[in-house]
Amino acid sequence: MFSNYLIGLREGLEASLVVCILIAYLVKTGRREALRPIWTGIGIAVALALGFGCALEFGSQELTFQAQEALGGSLSIVAVGLVTWMVFWMRRTARHLKSELHGRLDAALAMGTGALVATAFLTVGREGLETALFVWASVHAASDGTPRPLIGVALGIATAVLLGWLFYRGALRINLAKFFTWTGGMLVVVAAGVLAYGVHDLQEAGWVPGLTNLAFDISDTIVPDSWYGTLLKGVFNFQPDPTVVQLTVWLLYLVPVLTVFLLPSRVPARTGETAASAAK
């Protein structure tokens, strides 16, 4: 549940900050008439993300077991690739996100209402589609027959919306670069678990060999149904009996990606960069 909460918080906060920056800029520059097309674009983007998530969930239920595992494994790998790109991109652009969005918005204002709708839709829609795909893959990997994974995601998104509103009101300050670095590092760990689970799905589908070749089996020590087994699976997507291929892929992804991600950034952070200043 915690890993899904983290996903909802991290992804939701990115979208919330984007919305805050767009709205605050229009209000500050006295262009309130442009708020309606911005909200229209945001609404369409949210609807598209929800529709995409529903299509993934309900569409996969009509497939055979092998097809479900193949689809789940393939989309999990795609989701890990997208979230890996996203955490590196956000770590690099968090410091100048405001100026980038202001530039896009100025160009859209000069072009008219349709451009405003498109700008809001594309900016928020990208975040929404990435979130829907990674949430689906993570919930699929952490599924334990209970609604806890979805509850975790919903709570994370709700927290992100609240934080976004507080940022907009100037009631909360946070160093964006540090926040996205720490949450990005934790998200890389979660992504490694999703990747390993996706490989296991492909093994069950018969696309990847080695399903019966286990690296180790400590199910007797860490019982999957126990509270600590559930905790490890919920936080890290831990599996007590991974295959050799799963363990190898997990290590080959986690060690180099986390190492590169945690290396000091070559771009010096601007002192005092806060979410409140970004929103305003």
Side-chain angles (χ1 to χ4, degrees):
M1 183 173 177
F2 174 76
S3 64
N4 293 285
Y5 174 83
L6 175 65
I7 293 168
L9 174 63
R10 164 73 189 231
E11 300 293 308
L13 189 57
E14 287 188 25
S16 294
L17 287 174
V18 167
V19 172
C20 286
I21 292 171
L22 293 176
I23 299 302
Y25 184 62
L26 291 176
V27 172
K28 185 177 180 180
T29 56
R31 300 170 179 175
R32 291 180 178 270
E33 71 281 357
L35 290 176
R36 178 171 294 182
I38 288 293
W39 282 116
T40 300
I42 292 171
I44 296 173
V46 171
L48 178 64
L50 290 175
F52 181 56
C54 290
L56 287 175
E57 177 61 26
F58 297 111
S60 63
Q61 295 178 2
E62 303 299 323
L63 303 175
T64 64
F65 174 76
Q66 287 77 12
Q68 285 183 9
E69 297 304 295
L71 177 65
S74 300
L75 290 180
S76 294
I77 294 173
V78 172
V80 169
L82 285 175
V83 80
T84 303
W85 171 83
M86 178 270 298
V87 295
F88 278 98
W89 177 83
M90 197 59 177
R91 180 173 180 261
R92 185 178 66 253
T93 61
R95 301 180 183 90
H96 52 269
L97 180 63
K98 180 179 67 172
S99 59
E100 180 178 328
L101 289 174
H102 285 179
R104 293 182 187 178
L105 197 53
D106 284 334
L109 284 166
M111 296 176 65
T113 301
L116 285 172
V117 174
T119 297
F121 170 74
L122 293 174
T123 305
V124 178
R126 184 196 64 186
E127 302 287 348
L129 291 176
E130 288 178 359
T131 301
L133 179 57
F134 194 60
V135 163
W136 181 84
S138 180
V139 169
H140 181 69
S143 178
D144 54 5
T146 71
R148 284 181 295 185
L150 289 176
I151 292 174
V153 172
L155 289 176
I157 294 175
T159 304
V161 172
L162 176 60
L163 290 176
W165 181 78
L166 291 175
F167 292 155
Y168 177 77
R169 303 299 299 179
L172 185 64
R173 294 176 178 271
I174 187 172
N175 186 299
L176 289 181
K178 289 184 178 180
F179 174 84
F180 284 117
T181 296
W182 282 102
T183 57
M186 289 187 286
L187 209 55
V188 168
V189 176
V190 173
V194 173
L195 179 61
Y197 194 90
V199 170
H200 184 265
D201 280 350
L202 294 181
Q203 288 182 306
E204 290 191 327
W207 287 22
V208 176
L211 180 61
T212 59
N213 187 15
L214 300 183
F216 55 82
D217 187 351
I218 54 175
S219 301
D220 294 335
T221 303
I222 302 180
V223 182
D225 295 334
S226 63
W227 68 267
Y228 47 88
T230 303
L231 180 65
L232 288 172
K233 182 175 179 59
V235 177
F236 302 109
N237 287 313
F238 174 79
Q239 184 177 336
D241 55 346
T243 65
V244 172
V245 175
Q246 273 185 278
L247 183 60
T248 302
V249 169
W250 184 82
L251 289 172
L252 288 177
Y253 171 85
L254 180 64
V255 175
V257 172
L258 192 59
T259 299
V260 173
F261 182 78
L262 294 178
L263 287 175
S265 176
R266 295 182 180 181
V267 180
R270 291 192 299 227
T271 305
E273 184 83 13
T274 65
S277 63
K280 292 186 177 296

